[in-house]
Amino acid sequence: MFKKKAFKPGDALPKELELAEALDVSRNVVREALSRLRMLGMIESRKKRGTILVEPDIMNGFERVMDPLLLDQRTLQDLFELRLVLEMGLADLLFARITDKGIAELEKIVEKEVNKIQQPFRLKFEIDFHSKLYQMTGNDTFRRFQNILLPVFEYVVKEEQQLTGKAKVGKVTHRDLLELIKKENRKIFAKE
């Protein structure tokens, strides 16, 4: 009904009784439907306005259910791979919005990090470095999505450590990525 009548965020919804009559259902059915919409973050009650349609927070539901302990191994692997693909696609946004300040902040992270291939993987630096990349894109949804995926990333790394006794270290270091960013070589950065 809301779609057919082209309701937009900010529009006041009809009263429960009006909705029940228009939909030819009981008020209890309408209350249950409104309760579900409220739970999904699609409607809110406002003083002097009644119930209004709001723009849903598309990440909210995902944030609430993202717990590695609730997901099976295949789903965790799929989400981890999704994160890797997102990061490869990050290059265009990153290069469009990169600043000297952002590069300096990445440099500080890399300087703190002992990031040599033969040394153990350091999860904190991995998270710091990649979080800074997401932040530098200036895309809030992208940043929130990365934050949602952090527990999955941590879980996969910990699982890998338990299976192999050590964390896997990639061939490309954060120093390598930083140098590519500095050179603004988009094609190479996207492939790495």
Side-chain angles (χ1 to χ4, degrees):
M1 175 183 169
F2 298 156
K3 286 180 183 179
K4 284 181 183 175
K5 294 197 176 205
F7 277 79
K8 302 282 184 227
D11 290 346
L13 303 182
K15 305 281 184 219
E16 283 182 13
L17 187 56
E18 293 171 35
L19 286 170
E21 289 173 1
L23 297 169
D24 196 29
V25 296
S26 72
R27 283 183 76 181
N28 286 339
V29 170
V30 169
R31 276 191 203 114
E32 178 63 27
L34 292 174
S35 173
R36 290 179 185 198
L37 290 173
R38 189 170 283 108
M39 202 169 68
L40 291 170
M42 296 179 71
I43 63 171
E44 291 179 355
S45 297
R46 301 243 175 109
K47 287 184 179 181
K48 299 183 182 179
R49 293 213 47 218
T51 303
I52 64 162
L53 191 64
V54 295
E55 182 177 346
D57 181 347
I58 60 171
M59 303 301 271
N60 188 32
F62 204 32
E63 286 170 333
R64 287 193 275 175
V65 299
M66 184 54 72
D67 184 338
L69 298 175
L70 299 175
L71 304 172
D72 67 14
Q73 197 64 37
R74 177 67 186 167
T75 302
L76 290 170
Q77 183 66 34
D78 287 350
L79 288 169
F80 184 73
E81 290 169 357
L82 175 62
R83 179 181 180 264
L84 295 175
V85 170
L86 283 174
E87 288 188 1
M88 289 187 333
L90 168 91
D92 287 336
L93 272 179
L94 182 65
F95 285 115
R97 298 174 179 168
I98 200 161
T99 64
D100 289 339
K101 180 182 177 197
I103 290 174
E105 290 169 352
L106 282 174
E107 187 77 52
K108 284 180 187 175
I109 293 168
V110 170
E111 290 303 320
K112 288 181 187 175
E113 176 181 11
V114 179
N115 193 10
K116 301 200 183 319
I117 297 299
Q118 61 269 33
Q119 296 199 357
F121 182 84
R122 300 197 186 262
L123 185 59
K124 180 194 179 324
F125 294 116
E126 183 74 15
I127 290 170
D128 289 350
F129 186 85
H130 291 273
S131 294
K132 178 51 70 179
L133 292 179
Y134 279 77
Q135 180 188 4
M136 289 168 62
T137 68
N139 184 312
D140 289 333
T141 300
F142 206 26
R143 265 187 331 128
R144 279 183 72 193
F145 195 67
Q146 191 258 352
N147 286 334
I148 289 169
L149 294 179
L150 280 178
V152 172
F153 180 69
E154 292 172 13
Y155 179 81
V156 170
V157 169
K158 286 177 185 174
E159 283 292 303
E160 192 172 67
Q161 283 175 325
Q162 286 179 345
L163 292 174
T164 64
K166 61 181 180 176
K168 184 178 179 183
V169 178
K171 294 176 185 174
V172 178
T173 67
H174 291 154
R175 170 64 62 199
D176 296 336
L177 290 174
L178 179 58
E179 292 306 317
L180 290 172
I181 290 168
K182 285 179 178 179
K183 291 176 186 174
E184 294 191 46
N185 190 333
R186 296 177 188 170
K187 289 180 183 174
I188 294 173
F189 180 77
K191 286 180 185 177
E192 300 298 331

